[in-house]
Amino acid sequence: AWVSSLSMGMVFFCSPIVSIFTDLFGCRKVAVIGAAVGFAGLLSSSFVSTIEPLYFTYGVLFACGCSFAYQPSLVILGHYFKQRLGLVNGIVTAGSSLFTVSLPFLLRVLIDSVGLYNTLRVLCILMFILFLAGFTYKPLVPNAKDKEGGKKGKFRFPPEKKICNFSVFKVLSYRIWAFGIPAALFGYFVPYVHLMKHVKDRFGDSVPEEVLLLCLGITSGVGRLIFGRVADYIPGAKKVYLQVASFFFIGLMSMMIPLCHVFGGLIAVCLFMGLFDGCFICIMAPIAFELVGAQDVSQAIGFLLGLMSIPMTVGPPIAGLLRDHLGTYDVAFYLAGVPPLIGGAILCVIPWVHERQKLKERAKPVDGETTEKMLENENTLMSDTTEKPVKDMESGF
């Protein structure tokens, strides 16, 4: 559990750093270098014979490379798509669902035929394809390098405030969103890590547990396509309500896992869980664009993913400890359903807060105009008073 949780957590823990590099050097360079680092980490993991080095090669090196390759793929979409950003995110993120469906069966065949180490080497082919795909990124919004270097093309580091753009946290609606989602994720990924082991404990080897991953992957892909399109019809920050619904249903489904004493019931739970998992993932970038705007979206997503790394790393091992002490995953799954419900309740206030912020911003220009008019009136009064003595003096002469 620690190797997979460390890897999953590092992908998101590096995200604030990735966002800074994306702003400085652009999506293309960051994605290409990230894929190269991930390739090196995965290849080196294939030569490891004990579990301890895997904490670094797979849990740190490979995960950091994936993080540097992953986040630019979300940012680059906002450069090209505005009105249908939700649908585009759904199509792009549905690719991961396709591999979630196909990889378990492919990995089983590869491990049985060529072994674990050669299987990791085969997977390096996918990282190399990702390396080549990074060269296709062509950002349309200028990055910090272009802004500071100007036409001469000389790179100069921008001011520290521009490198670490903490100004996104001044937006109250973003602050609520950035802390509400991690609060929900303490139990969000527990079923994804421990569900297969729970099936073996309860049903033994008599049931094909890969079917559950198949159900999660298929409905997650369908959910990303459906809810991505639905998000385009929901105005402004009200897209957050889709994430609220997804957290509510995922928390409820997590609590229902221990109640399923028939394998068919688990299949139904996984179908619903995958559907709303796709909803949560595909609208993350569109919500970030709505809350902070296109110019600050890279670091807004980076800070959010960085905060998500803590619950994603801590949650599954805690569930594993509960299983070791209690001998069953039932309590772990019950507790895993509570944080998504709490996080969803926190997110409910975001649309209301965001609308109030918009009203205040609209009122500011009006106040500015009135103050300017007052200053102009004062200037005219001052000029009139200075002009009158001058005219009196001229008439006296």
Side-chain angles (χ1 to χ4, degrees):
W2 271 112
V3 175
S4 60
S5 294
L6 179 62
S7 176
M8 193 181 303
M10 284 301 295
V11 170
F12 295 94
F13 181 76
C14 294
S15 294
I17 303 172
V18 178
S19 65
I20 294 172
F21 278 91
T22 302
D23 284 345
L24 288 176
F25 303 106
C27 296
R28 180 186 296 173
K29 291 181 180 179
V30 173
V32 169
I33 293 173
V37 173
F39 177 87
L42 193 59
L43 185 63
S44 59
S45 299
S46 67
F47 294 98
V48 170
S49 57
T50 58
I51 194 172
E52 286 80 10
L54 281 177
Y55 288 112
F56 174 72
T57 59
Y58 189 86
V60 177
L61 193 62
F62 172 67
C64 288
C66 290
S67 180
F68 273 76
Y70 168 68
Q71 191 174 327
S73 69
L74 297 179
V75 177
I76 194 68
L77 297 177
H79 291 230
Y80 288 89
F81 300 94
K82 302 298 179 187
Q83 294 182 349
R84 303 187 180 234
L85 185 60
L87 177 61
V88 172
N89 272 275
I91 294 172
V92 171
T93 55
S96 61
S97 299
L98 178 64
F99 282 92
T100 302
V101 172
S102 57
L103 270 182
F105 302 99
L106 177 62
L107 292 177
R108 177 62 64 90
V109 172
L110 288 173
I111 291 174
D112 292 340
S113 57
V114 300
L116 174 62
Y117 302 121
N118 288 324
T119 299
L120 293 175
R121 291 162 194 161
V122 171
L123 293 178
C124 288
I125 298 173
L126 298 177
M127 292 304 299
F128 184 72
I129 295 173
L130 190 61
F131 172 78
L132 297 177
F135 287 100
T136 64
Y137 294 176
K138 186 180 179 182
L140 299 180
V141 177
N143 53 30
K145 178 180 177 181
D146 299 329
K147 292 177 185 176
E148 298 296 326
K151 296 181 180 179
K152 297 180 180 179
K154 294 180 180 180
F155 176 72
R156 291 182 298 173
F157 274 98
E160 187 178 346
K161 292 182 179 179
K162 291 185 179 180
I163 294 177
C164 294
N165 187 14
F166 291 108
S167 62
V168 293
F169 286 101
K170 294 180 180 178
V171 181
L172 179 58
S173 56
Y174 173 78
R175 279 205 309 272
I176 299 171
W177 189 59
F179 290 102
I181 287 182
L185 292 180
F186 276 100
Y188 188 95
F189 283 95
V190 170
Y192 294 91
V193 176
H194 294 289
L195 183 59
M196 298 298 103
K197 188 68 170 59
H198 170 72
V199 171
K200 285 187 177 181
D201 290 346
R202 175 161 292 187
F203 299 101
D205 296 327
S206 59
V207 295
E209 64 268 14
E210 289 89 354
V211 174
L212 298 179
L213 291 177
L214 182 68
C215 295
L216 284 171
I218 291 176
T219 53
S220 180
V222 173
R224 296 175 196 196
L225 294 173
I226 293 175
F227 289 105
R229 190 71 185 102
V230 170
D232 292 331
Y233 292 105
I234 299 178
K238 291 183 179 179
K239 296 179 176 67
V240 173
Y241 288 132
L242 290 177
Q243 283 191 330
V244 173
S246 66
F247 281 141
F248 175 79
F249 280 100
I250 287 174
L252 189 62
M253 293 300 107
S254 297
M255 293 179 173
M256 291 185 66
I257 289 175
L259 302 177
C260 296
H261 298 281
V262 180
F263 188 67
L266 275 179
I267 292 177
V269 166
C270 289
L271 289 173
F272 279 101
M273 187 175 291
L275 186 68
F276 288 98
D277 171 76
C279 173
F280 164 68
I281 291 174
C282 75
I283 61 173
M284 188 178 297
I287 291 174
F289 275 93
E290 291 288 347
L291 297 183
V292 301
Q295 198 66 36
D296 299 325
V297 73
S298 176
Q299 295 205 28
I301 294 175
F303 288 132
L304 173 66
L305 297 181
L307 292 170
M308 286 168 57
S309 67
I310 300 172
M312 290 177 65
T313 306
V314 172
I318 290 177
L321 288 174
L322 288 173
R323 193 267 175 194
D324 291 339
H325 286 288
L326 302 176
T328 177
Y329 281 109
D330 290 357
V331 175
F333 285 124
Y334 286 135
L335 294 178
V338 176
L341 298 179
I342 296 174
I346 294 173
L347 297 183
C348 285
V349 302
I350 290 179
W352 176 72
V353 171
H354 191 66
E355 287 299 322
R356 289 194 64 184
Q357 286 178 336
K358 279 188 173 181
L359 291 175
K360 288 181 179 179
E361 289 176 359
R362 289 172 186 170
K364 282 182 180 179
V366 176
D367 296 337
E369 289 176 3
T370 53
T371 54
E372 286 179 2
K373 289 180 179 178
M374 290 173 65
L375 290 172
E376 288 177 2
N377 292 332
E378 289 178 2
N379 291 330
T380 54
L381 288 172
M382 290 291 292
S383 61
D384 291 339
T385 54
T386 54
E387 285 177 3
K388 284 180 180 179
V390 171
K391 288 181 179 179
D392 294 339
M393 290 176 65
E394 287 178 350
S395 61
F397 280 107

